[in-house]
Amino acid sequence: MFTGIIEAVGSIKAINVNADGARVEVATGSLDMSDVNLGDSIATNGVCLTVVAFDQHSYSADVSNETLKYTGFSHYRVGQKVNLEKAMLPTTRFGGHMVSGHVDAVCEVASIKNTGNSTEYWLTMSEEIAPYIAHKGSVTIDGTSLTVNKVTEDQFMLTIVPHTTEQTIISGYQAGTAVNVEVDVVARYLERLLFKKSNNSHSGESAGVTKELLMKSGFMK
């Protein structure tokens, strides 16, 4: 589990494709590797990767074909800048939101507009993630926890402050840049609850969000 607060910007040092996917080596930049162990998880542009080898300045991880299919790793090349975050600890300050490191879709930056000291980024929104993108809700872009400020039928907008721009790879985004998107994990589970309720509607129970459903599911007392 991660928080979406980026700890460092690294880069792809090597990527070797094989029959099972790929082995990647990531240069870690300023990321503190002193407490990293084999088997630890490091979110790399929002993708949870397991460390299989490491030293003071880099780590290696295996990327499955499934991950290559559904994330930006399919087009990453040596030198690609990546956001890095180590898995959170029980004592970690929770500065972002719950991030699993499981990417839901790859979206593209549609347009960029400077507004005062901030920057507005409009991203495309596919039908598969549209139900989970909500005004003022949380979303993870390349591992960064961000707030959705506007939503249209097929796009959503993020307002990025200078600090986030300086501490992440967002400064390198331009129209057409592909980014990894993870929707709010709470939205995923809520959908599952509603889906189960809908499937049980034949028993005489009403489908949809009801007070009884929220109480039964622990959202209300």
Side-chain angles (χ1 to χ4, degrees), residues 45 72 75-76 80 106-109 142 173-174 176-180:
N45 260 12
H75 63 258
Y76 289 175
Q80 168 88 32
V106 173
C107 297
E108 287 190 357
V109 176
D142 279 342
Y173 290 176
Q174 55 187 331
T177 296
V179 298
N180 293 325

Side-chain angles (χ1 to χ4, degrees), residues 81-112:
K81 297 292 185 182
V82 289
N83 291 322
L84 303 177
E85 181 193 356
K86 293 181 290 186
M88 64 183 295
L89 301 172
T91 55
T92 301
R93 179 173 291 172
F94 211 146
H97 72 281
M98 289 187 293
V99 177
S100 67
H102 301 154
V103 171
D104 294 291
V106 173
C107 297
E108 287 190 357
V109 176
S111 63
I112 303 171

Side-chain angles (χ1 to χ4, degrees), residues 8-210:
V9 172
S11 62
I12 302 296
K13 188 176 180 180
I15 182 165
N16 298 300
V17 178
N18 53 59
D20 299 317
R23 170 68 63 89
V24 297
E25 184 178 1
V26 180
T28 52
S30 62
L31 188 70
D32 180 11
M33 297 289 287
S34 63
D35 60 349
V36 171
N37 295 296
L38 289 178
D40 281 359
S41 297
I42 298 179
T44 309
N45 260 12
V47 180
C48 179
L49 296 182
T50 301
V51 175
V52 298
F54 71 97
D55 57 32
Q56 187 178 354
H57 304 292
S58 67
Y59 64 90
S60 295
D62 291 319
V63 180
S64 69
N65 282 320
E66 182 80 359
T67 300
L68 289 175
K69 181 179 180 180
Y70 289 103
T71 73
F73 269 93
S74 61
H75 63 258
Y76 289 175
R77 299 292 182 266
V78 172
Q80 168 88 32
K81 297 292 185 182
V82 289
N83 291 322
L84 303 177
E85 181 193 356
K86 293 181 290 186
M88 64 183 295
L89 301 172
T91 55
T92 301
R93 179 173 291 172
F94 211 146
H97 72 281
M98 289 187 293
V99 177
S100 67
H102 301 154
V103 171
D104 294 291
V106 173
C107 297
E108 287 190 357
V109 176
S111 63
I112 303 171
K113 178 183 178 182
N114 292 323
T115 56
N117 67 342
S118 300
T119 307
E120 293 181 354
Y121 290 80
W122 282 93
L123 276 69
T124 59
M125 181 171 57
S126 60
E127 291 184 3
E128 60 187 327
I129 66 168
Y132 311 105
I133 303 296
H135 181 230
K136 297 304 179 184
S138 296
V139 67
T140 307
I141 305 297
D142 279 342
T144 306
S145 173
L146 298 169
T147 301
V148 176
N149 282 321
K150 290 182 182 178
V151 182
T152 66
E153 185 177 345
D154 58 358
Q155 294 186 2
F156 62 98
M157 189 267 281
L158 310 166
T159 302
I160 310 300
V161 298
H163 177 78
T164 303
T165 300
E166 294 167 2
Q167 299 300 316
T168 71
I169 66 171
I170 290 177
S171 61
Y173 290 176
Q174 55 187 331
T177 296
V179 298
N180 293 325
V181 178
E182 179 186 334
V183 301
D184 191 348
V185 66
V186 175
R188 284 206 205 109
Y189 285 115
L190 184 57
E191 181 200 39
R192 180 60 179 167
L193 286 169
L194 297 178
F195 176 77
K196 182 178 180 182
K197 182 69 176 179
S198 178
N199 280 352
N200 290 336
S201 61
H202 66 273
S203 64
E205 300 178 70
S206 60
V209 180
T210 64

